[in-house]
């Protein structure tokens, strides 16, 4: 079985400061891990994907995530938040033998001016 | 823009009614997935089709059904609607429908059952 836990339901940061969104996963096999973002009244957009090629994954809009197998974590970071980063972020896991994506509960990011 | 299209964008209907949601996958993608997003359940996988055949089922109610047509577009049919079916329904597509593959999501259909 696979599951994803997003450790924070809500994160609030000031514009220009770093953002950290925490995600832990549990999986019996090597998973594929994703971060998706959902802006208000919009669909889900892929930020980045980990597939075991490199533990540090760079995504769009300055985001990156680090896969740590020993900690079963896949935290998402951005060095400097922008107002446009205000959205909901989902950590997602998928296995080679399972067709579906399993979503975390989501983290809502608020950016203060 | 992911290349996945969904219609309609919004749907308002009454309990007991039936609705059909439509999805067109990205050009070249053979697999289509349906997900439901609700406040209490979060994002849940409903069903997957690959090249016209059902491949996997998730938490899909018996009142719900789907199909994928020869042109690869898909429809999700929801019948005997209940208030609790109000949610955002997403369609996603991927090239081969295999595990670990990136899925690209459409903008969603927001269903409100009154």
């Amino acid at each position: 079985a696979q599951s994803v836990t997003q450790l924070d339901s809500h994160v609030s940061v000031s514009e220009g400061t770093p953002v950290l969104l925490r995600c832990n996963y549990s999986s019996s096999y090597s998973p594929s891990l994703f971060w998706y973002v959902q802006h208000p009244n919009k669909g889900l957009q892929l930020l980045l994907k980990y597939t075991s090629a490199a533990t540090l994954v760079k995504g769009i809009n300055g985001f990156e995530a680090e896969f740590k197998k020993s900690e079963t974590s896949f935290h998402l970071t951005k060095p400097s938040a922008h107002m446009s980063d205000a959205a909901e972020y989902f950590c997602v896991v998928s296995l080679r033998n399972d067709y579906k994506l399993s979503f975390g509960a989501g983290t809502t990011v608020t950016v203060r001016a | 823009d992911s290349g996945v299209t969904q219609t309609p964008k919004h749907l308002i209907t009454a309990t007991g009614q039936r609705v059909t949601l439509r999805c067109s996958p990205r050009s070249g993608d053979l697999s289509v997935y349906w997900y439901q997003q609700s406040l209490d359940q979060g994002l849940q996988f409903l069903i997957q089709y690959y090249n016209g055949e059902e491949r996997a089922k998730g938490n899909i109610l018996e009142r719900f059904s789907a199909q994928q047509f020869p042109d690869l577009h898909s429809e999700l049919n929801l019948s005997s609607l209940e208030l609790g079916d109000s949610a955002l329904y997403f369609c996603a597509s991927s090239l081969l429908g295999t595990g670990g593959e990136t899925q690209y999501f459409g903008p969603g259909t927001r269903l409100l059952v009154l």
Side-chain angles (χ1 to χ4, degrees), chain B:
Chain B
D1 184 1
S2 67
V4 179
T5 60
Q6 289 186 248
T7 56
K9 200 168 184 179
H10 300 277
L11 204 47
I12 301 174
T13 188
T15 54
Q17 295 298 305
R18 172 190 170 94
V19 297
T20 298
L21 313 183
R22 183 188 168 100
C23 167
S24 292
R26 291 189 323 158
S27 177
D29 284 356
L30 298 176
S31 191
V32 168
Y33 310 76
W34 287 96
Y35 291 84
Q36 179 193 59
Q37 185 179 32
S38 61
L39 285 174
D40 53 345
Q41 302 278 354
L43 263 155
Q44 299 230 331
F45 167 72
L46 295 178
I47 197 163
Q48 179 203 8
Y49 278 82
Y50 173 77
N51 206 20
E53 299 290 325
E54 181 186 305
R55 176 172 272 184
K57 256 185 175 177
N59 301 320
I60 188 165
L61 299 171
E62 283 191 16
R63 300 183 285 108
F64 296 179
S65 65
Q67 59 185 131
Q68 186 179 26
F69 294 87
D71 67 352
L72 300 177
H73 91 271
S74 178
E75 292 181 356
L76 179 67
N77 300 296
L78 314 177
S79 62
S80 303
L81 284 167
E82 302 175 359
L83 296 177
D85 297 328
S86 296
L88 191 50
Y89 291 84
F90 285 111
C91 168
S93 74
S94 70
L95 181 61
L96 298 175
T98 55
E101 206 175 22
T102 299
Q103 295 179 24
Y104 296 90
F105 284 77
T109 293
R110 188 171 294 279
L111 173 66
L112 180 59
V113 182
L114 301 175

Side-chain angles (χ1 to χ4, degrees), chain A residues 31-32 34 36 38 41-46 49-51 88 90 94-105, chain B residues 2 9 33 35 37 42-45 48 55-56 58 88 90 97-108 110:
Chain A
S32 289
F34 308 79
Y36 282 84
Q38 184 178 22
N41 299 312
K42 299 282 187 186
L44 292 152
Q45 182 184 19
L46 177 69
K49 175 183 180 182
Y50 166 76
T51 55
E88 187 154 20
F90 293 94
S94 176
L95 297 179
R96 288 199 175 278
N97 61 347
D98 191 356
Y99 306 117
K100 70 178 186 293
L101 299 180
S102 294
F103 285 79
Chain B
S2 67
K9 200 168 184 179
Y33 310 76
Y35 291 84
Q37 185 179 32
L43 263 155
Q44 299 230 331
F45 167 72
Q48 179 203 8
R55 176 172 272 184
L88 191 50
F90 285 111
T98 55
E101 206 175 22
T102 299
Q103 295 179 24
Y104 296 90
F105 284 77
R110 188 171 294 279

Side-chain angles (χ1 to χ4, degrees), chain A:
Chain A
Q2 59 192 35
S3 69
V4 180
T5 303
Q6 292 184 242
L7 300 170
D8 308 289
S9 59
H10 186 248
V11 168
S12 180
V13 298
S14 297
E15 193 175 19
T17 65
V19 182
L20 169 64
L21 305 184
R22 298 181 296 164
C23 172
N24 287 122
Y25 69 93
S26 67
S27 172
S28 304
Y29 306 99
S30 295
S32 289
L33 294 162
F34 308 79
W35 277 96
Y36 282 84
V37 60
Q38 184 178 22
H39 287 92
N41 299 312
K42 299 282 187 186
L44 292 152
Q45 182 184 19
L46 177 69
L47 277 179
L48 50 81
K49 175 183 180 182
Y50 166 76
T51 55
S52 79
T55 56
L56 186 62
V57 183
K58 293 193 183 298
I60 61 171
N61 301 332
F63 284 95
E64 63 181 35
E66 186 172 9
F67 173 73
K68 291 187 177 180
K69 188 173 182 179
S70 59
E71 298 176 12
T72 59
S73 69
F74 190 56
H75 300 336
L76 181 71
T77 60
K78 183 173 180 177
S80 177
H82 190 271
M83 296 298 288
S84 61
D85 295 327
E88 187 154 20
Y89 292 78
F90 293 94
C91 183
V92 182
V93 65
S94 176
L95 297 179
R96 288 199 175 278
N97 61 347
D98 191 356
Y99 306 117
K100 70 178 186 293
L101 299 180
S102 294
F103 285 79
T107 299
T108 301
V109 172
T110 303
V111 182
R112 304 185 303 272

